[in-house]
Amino acid sequence: MKVSIFGTGYVGLVTGACLAESGHHVCCVDIDEEKVEQLSQGQIPIYEPGLKSYVDDGLVGNRLFFTTDADEAIAFSDIIFIAVGTPPNEDGSADLAYVLEVARSIGSSMTESKTVVTKSTVPVGTADKVADVLALELQKRGEKIDFHIASNPEFLKEGNAVADFMKPDRIIVGTDSGHVKEQMRELYGPFNRQRDKLIFMDIRSSELTKYAANAMLATKISFMNEIANLAERVGADIEHVRNGIGSDPRIGYHFIYPGCGYGGSCFPKDVKALAKTAGENQFNAQLLNAVDHVNQQQKSRLFEKIYAHFGGELEGKTIALWGLAFKPNTDDMREAPSRVLMEALWKEGVRIRAFDPAAMPETFRIYRNVDGLELLETQEQALHMADALVICTEWKSFWAPDFDLIVEELSNPVIFDGRNLYDPCQMQERGIQYYGIGRGKSVSGID
């Protein structure tokens, strides 16, 4: 099939590369000329395992190409995906300006019937707005051309997006058109061989499904962080609690790991946007607002522990920081807990020696003018003469470090573990003062 995708960000690029890998012909559109040129040469602007090989395969096989020419892309395909960004407005609502601008481009250029599919995460009712814009543009031109609107939200985990697309748990499609259903069955046929993963529903339910899924996962994280904070005060170990409740199949082990808060481009934005949608419909989404509030507070927990440990005397201290991205296997720094921590420490006059396996370039881009940041080539180099080690991201290389080296390199053998990677008893045996999240009074900085 011939498919065009507007937007070469995280969702658009992964979608295009994976569709091309399965044999479809894909045209990806972006207004950024430099980015399009880089992608056309196989240069990938994001870190995502497995993505580059798929892009390279698509380019070599002439199944994937990139352009800035919207008219070319619209003429190329029968199915057009809208996968542009929907950044949050100041009030938490999703900004649909880019989505609707793509709709205008399609309506002003199409010369034959098209199926337009929203892939971006968008509020309920967005497909109706896209349809209205398309109809208005066609009316301006005096054209009567049929078109179909559908919703096909993505469920890609950063760091595992290629695998998620190639072997999806489910493929949600919102449509009331039999024609679109047949198109989607053909498009997703290569990913739907073992069992039927396509779930068809009305468009508004499809739009809400995406938000509800992310909000549910964010809720589990905030709930566990709430219980972790309680565990610190009653002397319980949240890791024991996690194992105890996770063994219940009704709960499960996924997304019940306490830590220093969730980040990224999805959970923070989507929880706020869903709560905003509720408010616009005269409904007070108390739970959603609480999930967001708990997460914002949790991002400050590491700083609070560091501040308490040093008795508020942080001026001139040096902190070694392992992990900058909001999660492993990505370079995404959006809403990352590390950013909240670093910015709070800098206000107190702290210098930071940091390392991350993937997010160093992005960190430099954001904080290049900050004097109190030094980015090191290895995690071991970051330790040298630091007053403490802080862990914000659970990269595999951090799970089993050389603890003897840590004790040797740090001026004070103390670890603030925002991801509960280490065993408190083992840390005590090694002479390391250890602060985890919800690990009981003795290891959580609670008096």
Side-chain angles (χ1 to χ4, degrees), residues 316-374:
K317 299 292 186 185
T318 298
I319 297 294
L321 177 58
W322 285 2
L324 296 162
F326 86 94
K327 63 180 286 189
N329 296 320
T330 182
D331 62 351
D332 196 340
M333 292 282 290
R334 287 173 289 185
E335 300 278 350
S338 65
R339 297 181 64 172
V340 175
L341 174 62
M342 288 192 295
E343 290 168 12
L345 290 173
W346 286 327
K347 289 180 180 178
E348 297 294 327
V350 175
R351 294 191 61 82
I352 295 171
R353 295 169 59 86
F355 171 79
D356 187 283
M360 307 277 268
E362 180 64 6
T363 305
F364 179 75
R365 184 190 69 81
I366 298 170
Y367 295 116
R368 69 177 67 201
N369 296 320
V370 176
D371 292 332
L373 175 63
E374 187 177 1

Side-chain angles (χ1 to χ4, degrees), residues 115-119 127 148-152 173-175 180 184 203:
T115 295
V116 179
V117 185
T118 53
K119 195 74 170 170
H148 301 278
I149 300 294
S151 166
N152 177 215
V173 177
T175 182
V180 172
M184 293 296 106
I203 290 177

Side-chain angles (χ1 to χ4, degrees), residues 300-315 317-319 341 345 348 350 386-390 410-417 431-436 441-447:
S300 298
R301 291 295 293 133
L302 283 176
F303 173 76
E304 292 168 1
K305 293 174 185 291
I306 296 168
Y307 189 89
H309 172 80
F310 289 105
E313 301 295 328
L314 293 177
E315 180 74 33
K317 299 292 186 185
T318 298
I319 297 294
L341 174 62
L345 290 173
E348 297 294 327
V350 175
D387 294 291
L389 168 63
V390 180
L410 293 179
S411 60
N412 298 290
V414 55
I415 296 177
F416 297 90
D417 185 356
I432 298 174
Q433 194 165 0
Y434 180 78
Y435 297 89
K441 293 182 180 180
S442 62
V443 293
S444 298
I446 299 296
D447 295 328

Side-chain angles (χ1 to χ4, degrees), residues 157 216-217 220-221 224 242 246 251-257:
K157 299 185 295 291
M216 172 61 80
L217 297 176
K220 294 182 72 173
I221 295 171
M224 284 305 293
R242 178 181 63 80
I251 298 173
Y253 290 101
H254 294 297
F255 287 86
I256 61 168
Y257 288 84

Side-chain angles (χ1 to χ4, degrees), residues 174-195:
T175 182
D176 56 4
S177 166
H179 173 68
V180 172
K181 289 181 180 180
E182 290 305 310
Q183 285 184 309
M184 293 296 106
R185 288 193 185 279
E186 182 178 354
L187 181 70
Y188 285 112
F191 315 95
N192 203 36
R193 295 173 64 84
Q194 189 176 35
R195 62 177 175 83

Side-chain angles (χ1 to χ4, degrees), residues 1 82 114 124 145 166 206 229 235 315 332 352 366 399 433:
M1 301 185 77
I82 301 178
K114 302 288 180 182
V124 177
I145 303 172
M166 300 303 285
S206 173
N229 293 334
E315 180 74 33
D332 196 340
I352 295 171
I366 298 170
W399 287 28
Q433 194 165 0

